[in-house]
Amino acid sequence: MTLSQKIKVALVGNPNSGKTTLFNALTGLNQKVGNFPGITVDKKVGACQISQLASKNKVDTEFIDLPGTYSLYPKSVDESVTFQILCDSKNEHHPNVNIIIADASNLKRSLCLATQVIDLNTPCILALSMMDLITADGVEIDIDLLSDQLGILVVPINARKKIGIGNLKQAIIKVINDFEIPSCFVDIKNLAPELIGNIQNKLTLKSDYNAFQIACNYKTITGLSEKEKSHFEGLAKELKFNPKRSQATETVRRYKAIDKLIDACVKYPEFSKNNSLTQKLDNILTHPILGFGIFLAILFLIFQAVFSWSEYPMEIIDNAFAQLSQFVGNSLPQGALNSLIVDGIIAGLGGIVIFIPQIAFLFAFIAILEDTGYMSRVSFITDKLLRGFGLSGRSIIPLLSGAACAIPAVMSARTIPNWKERIITIMVVPLMSCAARLPVYTLLISMMIPADQKWLIFNLQGLTMMGFYLIGFVSAISIAWIMKYILKSKERGYFVMEMPTYKVPDWKTVGLTIFEKVKVFLIDAGKIIVAISIVLWVLSSYGPSDKFQEIEEKYQYSENAEVEIASEKLEASYAGIIGKSIEPVISPLGFDWRIGISLITSFAAREVFVGTMSTIYSVGDADNTKSIREKLMSHKNPNTGEAFFTPAVALSLMLFYAFAMQCMSTLAIVYRETNSWKWPIIQFIYMSLLAYLASFAAYQLLS
Amino acid sequence: MKNLSNLEPGEKAVIDSFSDKELALKLMEMGCLPGEQIYIERKAPLGDPIAVSISGYLLSMRKSEAKTIFVNEIK
């Protein structure tokens, strides 16, 4: 390795060790966030340039923030990523230098992973975080002795205050130029001497420990060929190698050595006052009554933010896009291109950008809750309630924020560590009644129930609305319960997790989380959403050309007939043709072709239903619920001559919107978050079936 | 022998052994080793999961998981 090449540095550490804060301090906005290929584990790569003190030359450095883990042994998909990158030297992300982040206030446990990584013999540096915490507690660490005993550089840091970052960067240059491999911290060769020797030969590895890790976990390394794997398997069998027992022996030996090291290097005060603040806060925050009360209050605040506060920025975005489309529409010559840009692309983009405030608000809260350490308490107090439904305490925030909007809610499910619980949460979140269903419900409830009708002292319209929120919640947890039995998971679910001490949130981390989530949504989901928007635009603005011409000719001499033209054109369009052709399928639900067209166009977003209905019924002003309502109410059923929108039809339609997956943006984000089309397709099918059956039952029973 | 879930909050004990080999590996790498002192710091409002104090930090686990850890109580 020379300094003229780009240096690859991996950040390794326990969860909650301050790893991400350090990554942000090192790279700033210079980050790329994506998925590792084939799996949904965040891949965070960032770059910076380090100037050498002596020559002033700049060295290009690339940092990768590896998923947090407590040891190299992989037990989940996330941990497997860390294991493979560190132990497989052919992996494309295999680092030249490891920065091991150790939480100084949790030194013993941090050193388990740290010494494992050291034993891999890649040049490494130990970064000691949370030094301010232990100094306040009166704990003293002899840094020089620690460095001496481990045989590597040790750099104390405070990433939030940017202390020690410069030293850390210089340490990278130092170990690239000159790194002496320290002697094994724990000798494991005698656990399987022959197997280790053989793997070392086969893969040309110097480190005993690296070979030992491969002996224990060769099955999970994607970089090994099938031939190599079967060779190791045969050899392990022949030598009667027991990976689990060896792993246990190694861990015990390692901790023994760590105990000795800590005795030598760390001085604890006689009376430790540590964690007393955390204890006091936990007394309140996990209290049977206060704890739930505070949690509900926080949930209410989140809900308020995503639901109401985001309305203002959303309105601004909406207006800005309306003005933009008006401006572009007027400045470009009339025609197909104009319509494509205005009604297809700009409308599609507007439909994406509009979600930014909701995503930003939700992730601001989630980042704060995670960063303070409160999130693990949420799991702690709600775990038992949700466990029976195949969910865990971590599902509650995605689930409840789904009542505002499913998109940020699905994205927030990434904080659920267990694969099965994560998938179940993502699959049921869109059943929660989101804000986009509100305009549909409002219109239909107002048609079904007179405004002044009361049940006891309650307004019946309000009660019905509440009932629909309840239907959403109950169906979500019921489907979760069913999926618990259907889904099979290879990964064993544990609830063993650290409850970190409380901390003040790092605002830079919060800001970067928001930025990164918005970016992921705009770019990854945005592409799909724009594509579907254009398809929907084509369907609703084109049709067999002779029909369109007839309409143009018919209104050739009438003025102010835009509303009628739009209505007739929509009917004649491909969307109209599809709407009409599905009428036989939806007529058992009480729907006619007009509703059929609205079902198709509102796939873009549920609230489009109201707009489409107003176009079909040629209501000039789509913003005026009252005029749409009156128009719809006066519509007669051609067969019976009575009002078409009976309470049965309205209820059936509402149930359809309660269950159906009428939201392309959600499907796009589910694809992004599960990394396959399998889950969004299953979701679309099961929700559509549920919607059809519920509407069918309601209409047939009531009419 | 008692297991961890039999302890009341505050009662101190020393880890003796584990009954679930797979889970034991996970617990051990998080610092729950035979010979380590452990006690239940608090229980969740519904009695399950529990939070234990081990090698200077707080670890939460379900009762079913605590049942796999055998302990010797310190009197």
Side-chain angles (χ1 to χ4, degrees), chain A residues 327-343:
Chain A
F327 172 74
V328 175
N330 291 337
S331 21
L332 283 177
Q334 291 297 314
L337 182 69
N338 183 316
S339 174
L340 169 70
I341 293 175
V342 173
D343 301 323

Side-chain angles (χ1 to χ4, degrees), chain A residues 635-657:
Chain A
H635 177 54
K636 296 271 187 289
N637 187 327
N639 298 328
T640 59
E642 282 164 26
F644 176 78
F645 279 93
T646 58
V649 173
L651 184 70
S652 162
L653 196 51
M654 278 174 75
L655 282 170
F656 194 87
Y657 272 89

Side-chain angles (χ1 to χ4, degrees), chain A residues 12-19 68-71 101 109-110 113 498:
Chain A
V12 202
N14 292 167
N16 308 309
S17 60
K19 190 165 55 65
T69 178
Y70 292 100
S71 88
I101 296 94
R109 200 201 54 215
S110 308
L113 174 70
E498 183 184 355

Side-chain angles (χ1 to χ4, degrees), chain A residues 291-305:
Chain A
F292 280 117
I294 292 171
F295 176 54
L296 284 178
I298 292 174
L299 276 179
F300 180 73
L301 198 67
I302 295 178
F303 195 75
Q304 273 292 310

Side-chain angles (χ1 to χ4, degrees), chain B residues 41-54:
Chain B
E41 175 154 322
R42 64 184 71 245
K43 291 182 174 177
L46 301 162
D48 187 12
I50 58 171
V52 300
S53 173
I54 180 89

Side-chain angles (χ1 to χ4, degrees), chain A residues 91-312:
Chain A
N91 190 294
E92 60 165 326
H93 297 295
H94 187 72
N96 308 113
V97 177
N98 289 316
I99 294 182
I100 309 163
I101 296 94
D103 171 358
S105 66
N106 239 321
L107 194 58
K108 184 171 163 179
R109 200 201 54 215
S110 308
L111 282 174
C112 178
L113 174 70
T115 58
Q116 283 181 331
V117 176
I118 294 171
D119 282 347
L120 293 175
N121 293 358
T122 306
C124 52
I125 304 156
L126 188 74
L128 272 183
S129 64
M130 320 271 174
M131 287 298 284
D132 48 333
L133 281 183
I134 61 156
T135 330
D137 284 340
V139 181
E140 286 170 42
I141 299 180
D142 186 339
I143 307 264
D144 293 334
L145 188 61
L146 184 66
S147 162
D148 201 47
Q149 301 253 311
L150 290 172
I152 61 165
L153 290 174
V154 178
V155 183
I157 56 158
N158 183 336
R160 291 176 186 216
K161 293 187 181 148
K162 297 234 171 191
I163 299 170
I165 305 297
N167 291 346
L168 197 58
K169 287 182 179 170
Q170 288 312 312
I172 296 171
I173 305 284
K174 224 187 228 168
V175 294
I176 285 284
N177 283 328
D178 168 30
F179 182 75
E180 205 178 309
I181 293 172
S183 56
C184 265
F185 189 77
V186 171
D187 186 15
I188 40 73
K189 183 115 192 210
N190 63 358
L191 289 175
E194 265 182 83
L195 185 59
I196 290 175
N198 190 289
I199 292 174
Q200 279 179 310
N201 278 335
K202 255 245 137 62
L203 303 175
T204 53
L205 289 172
K206 276 194 221 117
S207 152
D208 292 348
Y209 188 65
N210 200 344
F212 174 73
Q213 277 289 345
I214 289 173
C216 292
N217 303 300
Y218 60 87
K219 280 181 192 144
T220 64
I221 301 184
T222 45
L224 286 179
S225 68
E226 285 308 312
K227 208 179 133 202
E228 284 167 320
K229 282 185 193 178
S230 65
H231 171 77
F232 294 148
E233 190 173 358
L235 202 62
K237 222 176 232 169
E238 193 187 310
L239 296 166
K240 297 204 171 69
F241 177 66
N242 182 335
K244 291 221 169 94
R245 200 188 307 144
S246 313
Q247 185 186 335
T249 315
E250 185 228 313
T251 310
V252 171
R253 281 187 195 173
R254 197 167 287 282
Y255 267 105
K256 262 194 194 138
I258 291 169
D259 275 335
K260 245 196 222 159
L261 178 69
I262 287 192
D263 273 346
C265 303
V266 187
K267 254 213 271 179
Y268 290 99
E270 252 175 84
F271 298 102
S272 160
K273 51 181 176 177
N274 78 22
N275 299 343
S276 62
L277 178 68
T278 291
Q279 268 176 3
K280 275 181 203 150
L281 279 173
D282 270 341
N283 286 341
I284 301 168
L285 295 175
T286 66
H287 186 273
I289 296 160
L290 276 177
F292 280 117
I294 292 171
F295 176 54
L296 284 178
I298 292 174
L299 276 179
F300 180 73
L301 198 67
I302 295 178
F303 195 75
Q304 273 292 310
V306 182
F307 205 84
S308 326
W309 302 352
S310 58
E311 244 175 56
Y312 305 104

Side-chain angles (χ1 to χ4, degrees), chain A residues 604-641:
Chain A
R606 292 181 178 91
E607 65 268 28
V608 171
F609 171 81
V610 180
T612 306
M613 288 301 263
S614 66
T615 309
I616 297 179
Y617 284 94
S618 351
V619 184
D621 180 11
D623 291 330
N624 190 340
T625 312
K626 209 176 143 214
S627 58
I628 304 171
R629 192 175 71 107
E630 277 162 11
K631 200 92 179 196
L632 295 188
M633 298 280 267
S634 63
H635 177 54
K636 296 271 187 289
N637 187 327
N639 298 328
T640 59

